[in-house]
Amino acid sequence: MWASQVEESDLPQIGPDRLIDAFPEHAFAIRRRLAIDPRFRAICDDYLDAVQALQHWEASCEPQSAARQTEYRQLIDNLLLEIAAALGEPPGGANT
């Protein structure tokens, strides 16, 4: 899980508040779904991991940095679409 991979002081910067910043009108639903829906939590964990990776590549001077930034921005966009879709479903997904 993403929280175990970072220092405690980093958690507010990459935790649920980052998701709420993206979907402020769904703040309550995000916190609720994170608490009760493992599928939603997994999507959000992937999103937070991708944000961290993008931050790494944005700070990098490695030759592949620009390509990786593009890849992670695309992944983040796709995960945001998946999160938005999940917020429109009942907890556990439409098929559970």
Side-chain angles (χ1 to χ4, degrees):
M1 183 173 251
W2 64 270
S4 64
Q5 298 172 357
V6 296
E7 296 296 322
E8 194 69 30
S9 62
D10 293 336
L11 291 178
Q13 162 185 340
I14 62 170
D17 290 339
R18 170 137 351 228
L19 293 167
I20 292 167
D21 287 346
F23 301 99
E25 68 280 6
H26 295 289
F28 177 78
I30 289 169
R31 290 187 188 283
R32 181 175 161 268
R33 295 291 289 263
L34 285 171
I36 66 170
D37 188 343
R39 181 179 153 270
F40 182 77
R41 194 167 42 250
I43 297 166
C44 293
D45 286 346
D46 290 346
Y47 167 76
L48 296 171
D49 287 344
V51 167
Q52 273 191 293
L54 176 60
Q55 290 172 342
H56 164 80
W57 288 111
E58 287 176 336
S60 174
C61 295
E62 295 181 42
Q64 71 270 29
S65 177
R68 296 295 177 259
Q69 288 178 45
T70 299
E71 291 170 4
Y72 278 102
R73 283 190 183 103
Q74 189 173 37
L75 176 60
I76 288 167
D77 288 346
N78 290 336
L79 288 166
L80 286 171
L81 289 173
E82 197 170 345
I83 290 166
L87 286 169
E89 296 176 355
N95 297 323
T96 58

